[in-house]
Amino acid sequence: MGGIPLIERLIEAINRFFPKEDWFRALNQEPRDALRYAMKGGEVVLAQFHGYNDLRDKVVLDYGCGAGAKTCYYATLGPKEAIGVDIHSRQDEVDAMLSRQAELPVRFLSLEASGRIPLDADSVDVAISSAVFEHVLDPEAALREIFRVLKPGGMFLMRWHPFLTRYGGHLGGVIGIPYAHVVFPEKALVRTFFRGAMAMSGGKFSGLLLYESLSTDSIRFMDMGLYFNRLRVAEMRRLAASAGFSLVAERFFRGTRETRFARHLPIGMVDYFIDYDVCLFRKP
Ligand SMILES: C[S@@+](CC[C@H](N)C(=O)[O-])C[C@H]1O[C@@H](n2cnc3c(N)ncnc32)[C@H](O)[C@@H]1O
C-alpha cells in the first residue's frame, strides 16, 4: 500500500462494502462473449422504448455506435438498413466478421471532422443512441445533426446517463460507491479506478481494445477532465427542444426498474434519483 495517497486508500476501503456494476466483468470476457453481451444490451435498450421500437423496413441510425454490437443487433430486426456512426471508425475485425456471417444490412461510418453525419437530410426513420450523450462535447450540435438526418415524423430514441446520477462518473464497474464522482476528487478516483481495473482483470485492463472508447475516454478524463459534459436532465430537454425536437415520452430508470416517482420531482432534482434517462423525441 506504500505510496498510495491516503484519499485513494480511503476510497478503496469504502469501496469494499459496495457491490459493483456488472459491465466491467462483462468487458473482461473473450471478445466474442463481450460482443454477445453488448448485443444483448441492444435488446435491453430497445425494450425500454416499447411501442416505438419496431425497426422493420426502417433506416436506422445508431449514433455513437462504439464497437457496433448494438448496431448489429438492430440489423437483425428487419430494418432496411442499420447504420452505425461514431467519431472513430469502428469497422474492426469483429464487426466485419459478424456482419459478413449473418449477412446483416449494416454499415459503419465515421462522423466528419465538423461533427456532420455523412448522410443526407431527411434520410433516417429512427435514430438511436445509447450511453453516448453524456460523452458528447457539443450535445447541442449533435442533436441538430440527428434532427437534420431524420425524416419528418422520424423518432430519436435516446438513453443516456446524466452526470449527477449514482454512477454518472462511469466508474461503477470498479468503484461501486454511489455518487463517488460527486464526493471524491476526480484524479484520486481515476487512479483508484485504474488500479482496481488492473486487479480485477489480472493486469489485462489495457487489453480491452474492443472497447477502445472506454479506455481512451477514461484517459481523456484523467488527462484533461473533458470526458463528461456534465449535462443535466433539464438542460438536455432544453437543448433537444432548441434543436427542434418534441419530447414524446421520458422514462427514468434505476438499474432495470423504472422510477416513476422521479417524474414528480422538481426537474432540477431528478438527476440524483435515477441511473439513466430514456427519452423519446420526434422530429415534427
Ligand atoms: C460508452 S460508448 C457507447 C457505445 C455504444 N452506443 C454502446 O451502447 O455500446 C460511447 C460512444 O460515444 C462515442 N462518442 C463520443 N462523442 C461522440 C460524438 N460527438 N458523436 C458521436 N459519437 C460520440 C464514443 O466514441 C463512444 O463510442
Side-chain angles (χ1 to χ4, degrees):
M1 293 281 269
I4 299 178
L6 189 61
I7 181 75
E8 294 174 32
R9 276 193 261 164
L10 178 69
I11 296 169
E12 279 175 2
I14 300 174
N15 191 34
R16 289 203 191 99
F17 296 99
F18 290 93
K20 316 293 177 280
E21 291 186 302
D22 70 349
W23 58 259
F24 185 85
R25 271 192 306 278
L27 297 194
N28 200 25
Q29 296 167 337
E30 287 300 308
R32 199 179 266 269
D33 292 337
L35 192 72
R36 240 177 253 131
Y37 173 86
M39 283 186 81
K40 184 81 193 156
E43 199 179 326
V44 172
V45 169
L46 275 194
Q48 290 172 339
F49 293 101
H50 60 79
Y52 296 91
N53 54 11
D54 182 355
L55 303 184
R56 277 174 300 177
D57 301 319
K58 307 265 172 58
V59 175
V60 177
L61 174 71
D62 184 8
Y63 185 85
C65 62
K70 289 192 179 88
T71 326
C72 290
Y73 172 71
Y74 305 145
T76 65
L77 302 177
K80 201 167 182 183
E81 187 176 29
I83 306 167
V85 67
D86 204 291
I87 39 177
H88 308 296
S89 168
R90 302 300 167 104
Q91 214 156 357
D92 62 17
E93 280 175 38
V94 180
D95 299 325
M97 174 211 61
L98 191 88
S99 52
R100 271 205 305 273
Q101 222 178 34
E103 290 174 3
L104 296 171
V106 65
R107 72 181 152 125
F108 294 94
L109 303 170
S110 292
L111 277 188
E112 293 174 8
S114 62
R116 184 179 178 277
I117 301 170
L119 292 174
D120 291 339
D122 304 342
S123 60
V124 167
D125 296 293
V126 180
I128 305 173
S129 87
S130 164
V132 175
F133 265 83
E134 60 268 37
H135 304 299
V136 171
L137 293 180
D138 187 347
E140 187 165 14
L143 285 162
R144 288 189 189 281
E145 259 310 279
I146 294 171
F147 187 88
R148 181 185 67 81
V149 298
L150 273 174
K151 294 178 186 172
M155 304 299 289
F156 175 33
L157 284 44
M158 183 174 88
R159 183 193 204 244
W160 70 292
H161 302 75
F163 188 70
L164 293 177
T165 49
R166 271 196 301 178
Y167 305 114
H170 287 50
L171 306 165
V174 177
I175 299 176
I177 308 167
Y179 307 102
H181 58 298
V182 178
V183 176
F184 296 108
E186 183 175 293
K187 193 170 172 194
L189 273 175
V190 173
R191 286 168 52 101
T192 310
F193 177 89
F194 272 91
R195 235 183 354 264
M198 288 301 267
M200 285 171 75
S201 65
K204 286 186 296 193
F205 178 59
S206 57
L208 295 172
L209 290 179
L210 180 63
Y211 290 88
E212 203 188 322
S213 64
L214 183 76
S215 43
T216 46
D217 286 354
S218 298
I219 289 161
R220 283 171 59 184
F221 178 43
M222 183 164 62
D223 289 344
M224 308 194 282
L226 279 180
Y227 175 31
F228 300 109
N229 53 27
R230 293 169 197 245
L231 204 57
R232 301 188 63 157
V233 171
E235 179 69 354
M236 172 58 85
R237 282 191 190 173
R238 194 189 65 73
L239 294 180
S242 123
F245 283 111
S246 342
L247 181 63
V248 176
E250 186 170 26
R251 300 169 73 200
F252 301 119
F253 285 81
R254 258 171 102 89
T256 52
R257 281 170 187 266
E258 187 169 357
T259 49
R260 288 176 194 274
F261 85 91
R263 287 189 203 166
H264 306 292
L265 292 170
I267 189 66
M269 285 177 65
V270 167
D271 306 56
Y272 295 99
F273 292 90
I274 63 172
D275 286 343
Y276 54 94
D277 180 10
V278 171
C279 301
L280 187 69
F281 295 112
R282 185 170 178 279
K283 174 170 173 175

